[in-house]
Amino acid sequence: MFAAESYTSRHIIAIVTMACLCVLLGGPSYAAGAESLIIAGATYYEPGVSGPGWAWTDADHLELNGYAGEAIGADGDLVLTLVGQNSVTESRAPDADITLCGMEVWGNLTLRGTGTLTATGSQCGIHASQALVVDGCTVDARADGADITDEAVAGVITGDMAVRGSGRVVAASTGSGAGVHAYGVYLQDAGLGDGAAGCRLSVDASWLDATGADSGVACMGGSLVSTCFVAPAGGAFGASDVVDASGAVAPHVVIEPDVATPPAGETDGVVVPGDSVDKSPIDANPAAGEPTTGPTANPELKPAAATTKTTTTITKTTVAKVPKPKAATATTVALPKTGDNCWIAASMTLFLLGITLLGVANRYYNV
């Protein structure tokens, strides 16, 4: 009887041990994140690569340190850490993988760090198909509307947007083409199914300055935490835009912390984008425009052809991207994969558990 029970126990322990070892040997190589990265005119499909001013350290993490170059795109979620001054500019090449935006992410985008980012494009400076978070860094996103017709242009186009951690954002756009609607920040559902919960702006103890002829901020609602509207006077979230005290759509929106200390060289602490798209968030300072009523509904953004400049890339197409070889000048280095740290710890635990179970099985066998 005892021998039979011991035999059964040994088999159960052996099965559990085998399961632990199978889990130990399997598992993800990288954390969930971007499936591909487009930067400096090249497409990369695996992290662990770097180049002048940038390093893709893990699937969901890119670091910029003094980067100044062509547009950056990512297929999937991306966390971007900023160090020093950085800038991205829309690629004008007709065969570029991404067009019309300085930065384009098909997923959630988080901008963080102590540095700055200037992003410029013809239709938008920064586009994130889901949510954009600006955490503690300084961002200047602008669209010049060049060669755009019958579309919306904006400094920032995204689903939801949050500015926190004393972040500073300037978003502005211009455009003179037929049927162009210009916004500072344009929050759209983009078919993500967020419904009433989407298209919202949140500013927490941070700064936002948004300017557009049709609307400074186009959104379905928002929340201010330890902040207030500096412009327009009596500003509030309307049905589809930020409006002034009379209910008119505000082409210039400024949000600041309740108790804000003006930066050096300014008297009121208001950072206003100017009449030149080349000015930075610090030295831009023209007069604000007059309120306008704007359109009754935000225009829908149209899908774009990959090689034209007269359409938009706001609706992602299903055309498969052709893999490109890595640029010969890019420096490939073996960088630490931060997403693997937790998996390594779990693997070690399972390994020790497997050793323990083997010891117990051996003890039963000897008995």
Side-chain angles (χ1 to χ4, degrees):
M1 179 69 177
F2 176 81
E5 291 179 354
S6 177
Y7 180 80
T8 302
S9 299
R10 290 199 303 272
H11 273 71
I12 293 175
I13 294 173
I15 292 172
V16 173
T17 302
M18 291 293 293
C20 291
L21 291 176
C22 288
V23 174
L24 177 63
L25 295 175
S29 298
Y30 301 102
E35 296 180 3
S36 63
L37 177 73
I38 302 172
I39 186 169
T43 302
Y44 300 89
Y45 295 93
E46 293 183 1
V49 294
S50 64
W54 64 273
W56 189 18
T57 60
D58 209 333
D60 62 350
H61 183 231
L62 173 68
E63 179 175 308
L64 297 185
N65 188 350
Y67 177 82
E70 293 184 10
I72 295 176
D75 187 5
D77 297 344
L78 185 67
V79 175
L80 178 57
T81 300
L82 301 172
V83 181
Q85 296 183 347
N86 305 275
S87 64
V88 290
T89 305
E90 170 192 339
S91 174
R92 302 286 177 169
D95 59 345
D97 286 323
I98 54 176
T99 60
L100 308 180
C101 300
M103 172 161 286
E104 187 172 1
V105 173
W106 291 99
N108 298 301
L109 172 62
T110 298
L111 302 175
R112 68 183 186 185
T114 58
T116 66
L117 175 66
T118 299
T120 57
S122 54
Q123 184 169 28
C124 61
I126 296 175
H127 170 233
S129 66
Q130 296 186 21
L132 170 65
V133 175
V134 178
D135 190 354
C137 53
T138 298
V139 176
D140 187 333
R142 298 175 186 262
D144 58 20
D147 300 324
I148 301 296
T149 58
D150 298 319
E151 304 294 345
V153 298
V156 172
I157 298 178
T158 186
D160 295 301
M161 180 175 176
V163 187
R164 65 194 187 198
S166 296
R168 292 175 178 266
V169 176
V170 170
S173 69
T174 58
S176 58
V180 169
H181 298 278
Y183 304 91
V185 173
Y186 182 54
L187 305 185
Q188 59 168 4
D189 179 52
L192 300 176
D194 293 332
C199 309
R200 296 182 64 84
L201 170 70
S202 172
V203 183
D204 185 349
S206 299
W207 288 258
L208 172 65
D209 192 315
T211 303
D214 289 273
S215 177
V217 176
C219 62
M220 299 299 293
S223 62
L224 304 180
V225 180
S226 301
T227 57
C228 61
F229 285 106
V230 174
F237 291 103
S240 59
D241 304 87
V242 170
V243 298
D244 62 18
S246 68
V249 174
H252 181 213
V253 176
V254 178
I255 299 172
E256 291 188 353
D258 289 331
V259 181
T261 302
E266 296 183 8
T267 57
D268 59 1
V270 179
V271 183
V272 182
D275 53 359
S276 169
V277 296
D278 295 326
K279 293 183 179 180
S280 69
I282 297 177
D283 58 20
N285 188 29
E290 294 297 324
T292 61
T293 56
T296 57
N298 292 333
E300 293 295 329
L301 300 178
K302 300 177 181 179
T307 60
T308 63
K309 296 293 291 182
T310 57
T311 54
T312 175
T313 59
I314 298 310
T315 301
K316 190 176 182 182
T317 65
T318 57
V319 178
K321 295 180 180 178
V322 178
K324 291 186 176 182
K326 297 181 180 180
T329 57
T331 302
T332 303
V333 295
L335 297 171
K337 302 175 179 60
T338 56
D340 288 341
N341 293 339
C342 294
W343 184 250
I344 292 174
S347 298
M348 289 300 298
T349 301
L350 290 173
F351 178 75
L352 294 175
L353 178 59
I355 294 298
T356 302
L357 292 174
L358 286 173
V360 172
N362 184 59
R363 177 184 173 187
Y364 273 102
Y365 178 77
N366 293 332
V367 172

